[in-house]
Amino acid sequence: MKNWWKSGSPWIWLNAGAVSISIIMVFGLLLLILVRGFGHFWPSAVVETTYIYPDGKQVQVIGELKKSETLTAQSLREAGVALPEEQQLVTRHLFKLGNRDVTGRDFVYFIEDFMGEWSYPKEITVLERREWGDFYGKPLRLLENDQVVAEGEALWPAFMERLKRSNRLYDEIRHIERHEIGNINYRLERVRLDQRRAELRGNLTPEMEAEFAARRASLNQEYAELQERLDRLLEEVRRDAIVMEVAGGQEVTIGLDRIVKAWQPNNMSIPAKVGFYIKAFLDFISGYPREANTEGGIFPAIFGTVVMVFVMTIIVTPFGVLAAIYLREYAKQGPLLKAIRISVYNLAGVPSIVFGVFGLGFFVYIVGGSIDRMFYPEALPSPTFGTPGLFWASLTLALLTLPVVIVATEEGLARIPSTIRQGSLALGATKGETLWKVVVPLATPAMMTGLILAIARAAGEVAPLMLVGVVKLAPTLPIDGNFPFVHLERKIMHLGFHIYDVGFQSPHAEAAEALVYATALILVLLIVVLNLTAIFIRNHLREKYRAEGD
């Protein structure tokens, strides 16, 4: 045994065990996110049953079973539930009932002992609405201008056809509101700012005023034409409605303009469910959020995360690489250089929220405020760059990840053998040529390693971004068709902050739970894709310079 300890085998097994446990925990977490996240899009069966209260009152229940749990009967007795004294355990089920505008409750627990037989009627329909969440019921009649146009067996095909038409009209309406009218408002604001700039410079002439008035009149005319077209579309999209019967027999009329999609999960085959699942996932990726971010898609958050990471990469790479080259190749070794290196290492351990506070105080208020006063005085007191935005968020993350890039690049430069430098110099190359044409290309894989670590950390950060540019809901994307096309001053959405907001700030915690897992899954996949891309580039560069060296 003594020889076994001296051999070091116990430490090898201890290390292997620790690594194995870590891998199991990581894969377990990823599996949980995968199952819960992907399961969010599957069309679950809808149950119809009756619930009999202890006083004999019966109510009809229609909804999706979300989860079941077993509790002690005593805990429910203390909550006022009448149960037999001899009963020890009780199973209760959490149902998603939807119909929040009708019943006031989305999710309700029901005790299994008081529930009747479960059935799965094929005609039960689920409606995903633009407001008030999902709706569960049985379709009765299809209306056009309050007149019945379909019922019975002809109802479902006619309803789906008109729902497609309604969604096409709604998409056209949203395009007009989001892009065409938004573009006119942007141009009107540019006219106002141009006129204000001329006033501040004191060169506003009557001719210029007339020109501004003509531009404004032309844009107002375009706006009036778009508004007239929009009113016609709104009148047309509100034409159709469907009458639904909810649990308890009440009839509710819902306009098709308020419905995103409809399906009958109990009447769907496996291939139909798979097709629905794929479409729901793609809609989630490409859609815009609704209902305080608890419904709809996450495209703005994905777009904001990717754009912010790219801008951060563009900023941090040259500064980190040049700083590392200076520290390793040019700086004189001594106490000052040691102090700088210690500062860089300590900077990597500073809490991220401190970077957020620094970014807000220095970048936003000082630098951004100065930019506004120098270049955008006509927009004041409304700030342009003196407010949190994409550029300041990216710059703060660049500062946060700068030590990682510096350390990785320095280590890469230190691993280049001195014989390579000496051989280059012996062949007549200058020190600068040796550095930039020989040493730096060979150290590129190490630089990419630092960049990979920087991207992985930046994509998952939340705390500093809450202060310097990330918001709950951004009305417009930072890239559009208006000059200068990339708007670094705009606020953005971010997947990490979206998870925090939906998981901890949502008024409907149960409804947000599945969305949190789905968004977390997308964030993990996005980080994996970004890292794999950087790893592929690093490996390509490594093989390229290895082949050239051979």
Side-chain angles (χ1 to χ4, degrees):
M1 178 63 70
K2 184 180 295 185
N3 292 332
W4 184 65
W5 279 98
K6 290 182 178 179
S7 67
S9 297
W11 308 114
I12 296 174
W13 282 101
L14 180 63
N15 183 57
V19 171
S20 301
I21 292 173
S22 300
I23 292 175
I24 292 173
M25 292 175 65
V26 169
F27 277 97
L29 177 61
L30 292 178
L31 182 62
L32 174 65
I33 294 175
L34 189 68
V35 172
R36 296 286 185 88
F38 276 136
H40 172 64
F41 308 103
W42 188 259
S44 303
V46 180
V47 177
E48 181 179 26
T49 184
T50 56
Y51 191 74
I52 306 172
Y53 288 93
D55 59 3
K57 178 184 175 182
Q58 295 187 19
V59 295
Q60 185 184 20
V61 176
I62 296 178
E64 292 182 27
L65 175 64
K66 287 301 179 182
K67 66 179 180 180
S68 302
E69 57 186 19
T70 301
L71 306 173
T72 61
Q74 183 60 32
S75 62
L76 293 180
R77 291 193 195 97
E78 293 174 356
V81 179
L83 294 171
E85 290 296 330
E86 65 276 8
Q87 187 170 353
Q88 300 296 321
L89 299 175
V90 176
T91 300
R92 67 177 186 176
H93 306 286
L94 178 64
F95 275 82
K96 180 182 179 181
L97 305 181
N99 306 0
R100 189 164 68 242
D101 52 334
V102 178
T103 63
R105 295 186 299 175
D106 257 341
F107 292 82
V108 178
Y109 276 104
F110 295 101
I111 300 174
E112 188 177 78
D113 301 53
F114 303 145
M115 300 183 73
E117 183 180 356
W118 293 14
S119 61
Y120 301 87
K122 293 183 177 181
E123 68 273 14
I124 290 182
T125 301
V126 183
L127 305 178
E128 181 182 334
R129 299 183 291 177
R130 307 189 194 280
E131 295 178 348
W132 298 104
D134 291 343
F135 190 94
Y136 297 85
K138 301 177 181 178
L140 299 178
R141 296 178 296 277
L142 183 64
L143 306 179
E144 178 183 328
N145 296 326
D146 297 329
Q147 301 297 318
V148 178
V149 294
E151 56 186 342
E153 294 183 358
L155 172 58
W156 184 252
F159 167 64
M160 294 302 293
E161 185 64 31
R162 294 191 178 226
L163 181 59
K164 292 179 182 178
R165 168 189 171 276
S166 176
N167 282 329
R168 284 196 302 268
L169 293 173
Y170 185 84
D171 290 341
E172 187 176 352
I173 291 170
R174 293 296 294 166
H175 178 78
I176 293 174
E177 293 176 339
R178 189 184 299 273
H179 298 286
E180 298 185 40
I181 291 181
N183 180 44
I184 290 177
N185 289 332
Y186 179 83
R187 289 153 62 192
L188 281 170
E189 179 65 10
R190 298 310 307 171
V191 172
R192 186 188 71 83
L193 293 177
D194 290 344
Q195 183 171 355
R196 175 62 177 163
R197 186 183 302 111
E199 290 177 357
L200 292 176
R201 293 175 178 176
N203 56 3
L204 182 62
T205 62
E207 291 79 8
M208 294 177 65
E209 288 185 350
E211 180 186 352
F212 290 136
R215 289 168 59 187
R216 193 176 293 110
S218 175
L219 291 172
N220 286 331
Q221 178 61 31
E222 289 184 39
Y223 181 86
E225 293 174 359
L226 282 177
Q227 188 62 50
E228 183 179 353
R229 177 182 165 198
L230 189 63
D231 292 340
R232 290 197 303 268
L233 290 172
L234 287 171
E235 183 179 355
E236 191 174 355
V237 79
R238 292 168 181 163
R239 184 192 70 179
D240 301 324
I242 187 170
V243 180
M244 302 285 291
E245 179 185 339
V246 301
Q250 180 182 354
E251 294 187 2
V252 178
T253 302
I254 304 174
L256 267 61
D257 60 307
R258 297 165 52 195
I259 301 173
V260 178
K261 58 186 174 184
W263 66 97
Q264 294 180 328
N266 299 340
N267 195 31
M268 297 172 68
S269 62
I270 295 299
K273 288 188 175 183
V274 172
F276 178 91
Y277 177 88
I278 294 173
K279 186 177 184 304
F281 181 75
L282 295 177
D283 289 342
F284 179 70
I285 296 297
S286 60
Y288 284 74
R290 306 187 310 272
E291 294 278 349
N293 289 343
T294 59
E295 299 285 348
I298 57 171
F299 176 73
I302 295 174
F303 192 86
T305 304
V306 173
V307 171
M308 184 195 66
V309 169
F310 278 140
V311 175
M312 178 220 68
T313 304
I314 293 172
I315 295 173
V316 75
T317 301
F319 283 100
V321 170
L322 291 176
I325 290 174
Y326 175 77
L327 293 175
R328 173 58 58 179
E329 302 293 334
Y330 290 101
K332 183 179 179 181
Q333 302 297 321
L336 179 60
L337 187 62
K338 290 182 179 179
I340 293 175
R341 282 203 173 94
I342 292 174
S343 300
V344 171
Y345 296 149
N346 288 336
L347 194 64
V350 174
S352 60
I353 189 65
V354 176
F355 286 94
V357 174
F358 174 81
L360 179 65
F362 181 73
F363 292 143
V364 177
Y365 292 152
I366 297 178
V367 179
S370 300
I371 291 175
D372 282 349
R373 288 189 293 273
M374 293 175 61
F375 300 103
Y376 302 97
E378 66 277 2
L380 294 175
S382 298
T384 302
F385 279 93
T387 184
L390 168 62
F391 184 65
W392 305 131
S394 302
L395 199 57
T396 301
L397 286 184
L399 189 63
L400 176 68
T401 57
L402 184 62
V404 178
V405 178
I406 292 176
V407 172
T409 304
E410 266 205 275
E411 291 178 353
L413 293 170
R415 286 198 296 266
I416 306 300
S418 60
T419 55
I420 293 180
R421 292 180 171 86
Q422 294 169 3
S424 175
L425 294 172
L427 291 173
T430 64
K431 184 177 180 180
E433 291 173 337
T434 299
L435 175 65
W436 293 106
K437 295 184 178 181
V438 178
V439 177
V440 170
L442 291 175
T444 302
M447 300 176 191
M448 291 301 301
T449 299
L451 195 58
I452 290 168
L453 296 174
I455 289 173
R457 183 175 183 187
E461 281 293 344
V462 176
L465 301 179
M466 297 167 62
L467 302 176
V468 291
V470 171
V471 293
K472 175 186 178 74
L473 184 63
T476 55
L477 297 177
I479 297 178
D480 59 21
N482 296 314
F483 184 83
F485 310 118
V486 178
H487 304 275
L488 298 178
E489 76 282 0
R490 289 183 182 174
K491 296 175 176 58
I492 59 170
M493 295 182 67
H494 185 271
L495 284 171
F497 182 74
H498 187 79
I499 294 171
Y500 164 76
D501 177 68
V502 174
F504 299 97
Q505 304 295 317
S506 172
H508 306 293
E510 295 89 351
E513 180 179 350
L515 191 63
V516 167
Y517 282 108
T519 308
L521 174 63
I522 299 302
L523 177 58
V524 171
L525 292 177
L526 180 62
I527 294 174
V528 169
V529 169
L530 291 173
N531 285 345
L532 288 179
T533 303
I535 290 171
F536 173 79
I537 296 173
R538 181 189 64 184
N539 293 341
H540 173 73
L541 293 173
R542 181 178 295 163
E543 293 298 326
K544 174 184 176 181
Y545 293 120
R546 180 181 299 170
E548 291 179 356
D550 295 340

